[in-house]
Amino acid sequence: MLRRFTRLFRVPAAARPALLLRQSPQRLQPRHFSVSSANSTPKVTNRSQTLSEAARRISELGKLGDLPAAISVYRDLLAAKVHAPDGAVLRAFLSAVTRDRRPRDLELKTMLEQMHENLTMWSIKLDERLGNMLLVALWHAGCVTRAKELFAALQAERLANRFVVATMISGLARSGDVSAAMALLEKATNRGMKLDSHAFTPLLTTCGDCADFDSGRKAHELAQQHGAAYGAEYCS
């Protein structure tokens, strides 16, 4: 009985298009698009989603230690020329670079140098965190000249906090420039900047490797003054 009743009120196939036309136009539009007018240009609304997904993938690959795959994701994003990377993508990529301890290749050095050059074009303003991460990556990749240029820019913008200065001292020491590292250390000390063992350990290690006992003794005295001698004690 119920089946017969529903058959009586079933809409014939020929009448279905006319019935659809009576429905609200909003119900017929795709849910993920918003059309304002017939002549308007569709807006790209997935930029944040694309960059967020790229940052997530690069971060995960970096944590897994798969730097080549992280580089591939970053390279593909740049090659697409659709969305410029944002700060989250750069931080994820720089974190992946500094996690990896394998020898640096020329491609990675070039990518980091281009990143440094393109910050303004990408409308990314350096802050203390991003500046320090880029500085660490540049030193890690052996881009000595770029690292010095970046540090000078951070100083000019008054973004050279104690972490940035410690990174610069460490980089100079690891590159073998003990005199420049000592000069920056003494300058920071005179300004009352508090540094930790991250600044002193590489410097003391390099002083020991090159038998520069005078600089090593002075660096150790400054480490005691900064309260960082315990962390750097084994290098003295």
Side-chain angles (χ1 to χ4, degrees):
M1 185 68 182
L2 180 61
R3 184 176 298 177
R4 292 179 181 178
F5 181 78
T6 54
R7 286 179 180 177
L8 291 175
F9 290 91
R10 184 175 296 175
V11 179
R16 289 175 187 171
L19 181 62
L20 288 173
L21 290 175
R22 298 193 194 103
Q23 296 180 6
S24 172
Q26 296 179 354
R27 296 184 58 184
L28 301 179
Q29 295 177 358
R31 293 181 179 179
H32 49 276
F33 290 101
S34 58
V35 181
S36 58
S37 65
N39 298 326
S40 62
T41 303
K43 295 181 179 179
V44 179
T45 58
N46 60 345
R47 178 181 184 274
S48 60
Q49 296 176 0
T50 301
L51 297 179
S52 177
E53 176 65 16
R56 184 189 65 80
R57 290 176 61 193
I58 293 172
S59 178
E60 290 179 353
L61 292 169
K63 291 177 181 178
L64 293 173
D66 194 350
L67 179 60
I71 292 176
S72 179
V73 174
Y74 179 75
R75 188 196 304 116
D76 291 344
L77 181 65
L78 296 181
K81 296 182 179 180
V82 177
H83 305 303
D86 60 0
V89 171
L90 298 190
R91 286 191 294 270
F93 181 71
L94 294 172
S95 178
V97 169
T98 53
R99 283 175 181 270
D100 191 81
R101 295 301 175 184
R102 286 172 289 186
R104 307 295 94 193
D105 56 13
L106 181 60
E107 180 189 14
L108 180 58
K109 292 181 179 180
T110 303
M111 294 177 75
L112 291 172
E113 290 177 350
Q114 290 176 346
M115 179 188 295
H116 181 213
E117 292 176 354
N118 293 333
L119 289 175
T120 303
M121 183 180 68
W122 292 337
S123 300
I124 297 177
K125 187 175 182 180
L126 276 177
D127 55 16
E128 294 174 345
R129 180 187 177 192
L130 181 58
N132 189 48
M133 292 184 73
L134 181 54
L135 187 63
V136 171
L138 289 172
W139 277 118
H140 191 60
C143 305
V144 178
T145 302
R146 292 287 184 178
K148 292 180 179 179
E149 292 176 357
L150 176 60
F151 182 69
L154 292 172
Q155 283 184 311
E157 295 293 332
R158 297 185 178 181
L159 296 175
N161 60 10
R162 65 189 186 96
F163 301 106
V164 173
V165 172
T167 297
M168 192 64 186
I169 294 173
S170 174
L172 290 169
R174 293 178 190 276
S175 67
D177 196 348
V178 174
S179 60
M182 284 298 302
L184 181 57
L185 174 59
E186 292 176 356
K187 184 178 180 180
T189 302
N190 293 333
R191 291 185 175 182
M193 185 174 287
K194 191 76 171 179
L195 299 174
D196 57 15
S197 60
H198 290 90
F200 292 98
T201 300
L203 179 56
L204 289 168
T205 301
T206 302
C207 289
D209 292 341
C210 64
D212 188 348
F213 301 113
D214 291 336
S215 297
R217 189 178 298 107
K218 179 63 176 177
H220 183 65
E221 293 174 358
L222 291 174
Q224 291 179 318
Q225 183 177 337
H226 285 260
Y230 177 77
E233 189 73 31
Y234 72 97
C235 296
S236 61

